[in-house]
């Protein structure tokens, strides 16, 4: 049977969402809010979702946005960045271990003081890609609704606090505009079409990989650029749409039913997210001194947020994108490989205490 056309009311809601998201995003960008083109649509979408708009952005649109961000980050991958990463690999491993350990401690705390089941808390506090953690939680019998809420509450906290920290440290999109303009300077149509082809191939090939829609275009685009076969070209309006797609997809996950289900535990989730962010920030300060890096880059590199969100903030604030990308990707794989083990340990420890 043919698919029913959306009603006039639904079309109006989509028009209102796109108009408000685009307007707020541009306003925040004009007010020098780091990642304003991402943060604005996300906050607007949260308001629409909680307000009962009942809108869902197609997952392929979200994946295309991730692919564009991945290719944008690939523009910063150079031989000099790879050499710098190779020289500090041991400290990156230490930072990854510390972040995963801190998330496990916060997970235990949410079980102990927040009344959240151990399996749910384990996946909800895991500092990996939110969509990957929700999928893995479902496979391991955890409550996906609570896990999704914990993950996206933390993403919102990370993005808002990350934008605030970037602003306080003097990083503004006014100076970052040059960074994104560099990606868009080459107007050659062939480069643009090839860049889009890399995004489409990347999100198709990476469809079954955790965060594959972001990582595959990143790796493919980076390899082609290092080989001299691609000049990455992404116009600024396309990047703005990519930011908005990711922000709206995340924001619309906060519907009224989900919020009502977890309302009593929401303070625990927010507290746990903020505690984890503060602990990671303290770790970032020590690592920045040890590695000789600036604090903002290390903060974004260790921040327990989504890889795509941290990549957007890093590019817009002229942070060390290579460092942020390397550590966030390393941690993502670390969480994927150890997530089930950590979850089992948290469940075991909480059962022993309750027994």
């Amino acid at each position: 049977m043919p698919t029913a056309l959306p009603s006039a009311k639904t079309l109006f809601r989509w028009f209102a969402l796109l108009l408000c998201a685009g307007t707020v995003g541009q306003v925040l960008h004009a007010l020098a809010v780091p990642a304003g083109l991402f943060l604005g649509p996300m906050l607007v979408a949260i308001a629409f979702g909680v307000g009962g708009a009942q809108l869902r952005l197609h997952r392929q649109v979200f994946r295309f946005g991730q692919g564009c961000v991945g290719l944008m980050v690939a523009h910063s991958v150079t031989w000099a960045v790879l050499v710098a990463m190779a020289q500090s690999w041991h400290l990156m491993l230490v930072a990854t271990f510390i972040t995963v350990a801190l998330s496990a401690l916060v997970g235990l705390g949410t079980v102990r003081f927040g009344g959240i089941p151990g399996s749910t808390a384990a996946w909800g506090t895991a500092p990996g890609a939110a969509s990957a953690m929700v999928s893995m939680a479902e496979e391991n019998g955890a409550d996906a609704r609570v896990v999704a809420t914990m993950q996206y509450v933390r993403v919102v906290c990370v993005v808002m606090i990350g934008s605030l920290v970037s602003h306080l440290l003097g990083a503004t999109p006014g100076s970052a505009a040059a960074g994104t303009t560099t990606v868009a300077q080459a107007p050659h149509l062939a480069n643009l079409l090839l860049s889009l082809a890399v995004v489409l191939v990347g999100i198709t090939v990476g469809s079954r990989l955790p965060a594959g829609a972001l990582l595959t275009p990143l790796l493919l685009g980076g390899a082609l650029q290092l080989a001299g076969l691609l000049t990455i070209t992404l116009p600024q309006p396309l990047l703005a749409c990519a930011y908005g797609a990711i922000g709206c997809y995340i924001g619309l996950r906060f519907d009224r039913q989900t919020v009502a289900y977890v309302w009593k535990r929401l303070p625990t989730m927010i507290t746990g997210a903020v505690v984890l962010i503060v602990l990671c920030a303290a770790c970032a300060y020590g690592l920045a001194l040890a590695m000789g890096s600036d604090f903002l880059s290390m903060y974004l590199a260790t921040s327990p947020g989504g890889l795509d969100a941290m990549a957007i903030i890093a590019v817009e604030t002229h942070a060390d994108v290579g460092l942020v990308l390397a550590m966030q990707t390393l941690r993502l794989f670390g969480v994927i490989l150890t997530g089930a083990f950590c979850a089992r340990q948290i469940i075991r420890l909480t059962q022993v205490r309750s027994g």
Side-chain angles (χ1 to χ4, degrees):
M1 293 184 63
T3 304
L5 294 175
S7 64
K9 182 182 293 187
T10 301
L11 290 175
F12 175 77
R13 288 174 179 171
W14 275 115
F15 174 76
L17 172 65
L18 295 177
L19 179 62
C20 294
T23 301
V24 173
Q26 291 296 332
V27 169
L28 293 182
H29 186 67
L31 292 175
V33 176
L37 294 175
F38 165 75
L39 183 62
M42 183 179 68
L43 295 177
V44 169
I46 289 175
F48 271 70
V50 176
Q54 296 182 338
L55 299 176
R56 286 292 180 271
L57 192 65
H58 197 283
R59 183 166 177 78
Q60 292 304 319
V61 178
F62 169 66
R63 289 172 59 81
F64 180 77
Q66 284 188 309
C68 289
V69 172
L71 191 60
M72 174 194 67
V73 175
H75 183 264
S76 302
V77 177
T78 64
W79 289 112
V81 169
L82 295 180
V83 170
M85 288 165 48
Q87 292 174 343
S88 304
W89 64 269
H90 53 293
L91 289 175
M92 292 183 182
L93 283 177
V94 171
T96 299
F97 173 79
I98 291 175
T99 305
V100 173
L102 290 176
S103 70
L105 289 176
V106 172
L108 285 172
T110 56
V111 176
R112 174 82 174 179
F113 303 106
I116 298 177
S119 59
T120 301
W123 293 107
T125 57
S131 55
M133 295 303 103
V134 173
S135 176
M136 294 176 71
E138 288 180 323
E139 295 174 359
N140 287 272
D143 191 327
R145 292 176 300 176
V146 182
V147 171
T149 303
M150 292 179 69
Q151 285 285 340
Y152 286 109
V153 163
R154 193 183 72 242
V155 169
V156 172
C157 293
V158 166
V159 171
M160 296 184 69
I161 295 176
S163 297
L164 177 61
V165 170
S166 302
H167 184 73
L168 293 176
L169 293 178
T172 67
S175 60
T180 50
T181 304
T182 303
V183 182
Q185 275 180 351
H188 200 285
L189 181 59
N191 287 327
L192 173 60
L193 294 178
L194 185 55
S195 298
L196 291 176
V198 170
V199 172
L200 294 176
V201 171
I203 62 178
T204 302
V205 173
S207 59
R208 295 189 177 183
L209 299 175
L214 186 141
L215 291 177
T216 309
L218 191 159
L219 296 174
L220 181 59
L224 292 174
Q225 177 178 254
L226 291 173
L229 300 176
L230 172 65
T231 301
I232 296 176
T233 303
L234 293 173
Q236 186 68 25
L238 179 61
L239 289 175
C241 291
Y243 295 169
I246 297 173
C248 286
Y249 182 86
I250 293 174
L252 290 174
R253 297 292 294 267
F254 286 85
D255 57 27
R256 188 179 300 174
Q257 179 182 1
T258 304
V259 172
Y261 180 81
V262 299
W263 179 252
K264 292 182 180 179
R265 297 177 175 85
L266 196 58
T268 301
M269 296 179 183
I270 296 176
T271 301
V274 173
V275 168
L276 182 57
I277 293 169
V278 172
L279 291 175
C280 289
C283 172
Y285 181 76
L287 289 170
L289 294 177
M291 295 179 63
S293 175
D294 63 287
F295 173 71
L296 176 59
S297 296
M298 190 59 66
Y299 171 81
L300 296 176
T302 58
S303 187
L307 176 60
D308 44 12
M310 293 303 100
I312 291 172
I313 297 178
V315 171
E316 288 224 344
T317 55
H318 271 198
D320 188 339
V321 179
L323 175 67
V324 175
L325 169 66
M327 292 186 63
Q328 288 281 346
T329 304
L330 183 62
R331 193 188 67 215
L332 171 62
F333 285 118
V335 170
I336 291 171
L337 293 174
T338 63
F341 173 78
C342 292
R344 287 195 297 268
Q345 298 309 308
I346 291 177
I347 294 171
R348 182 179 64 83
L349 289 174
T350 53
Q351 287 177 342
V352 169
R353 289 183 178 182
S354 61

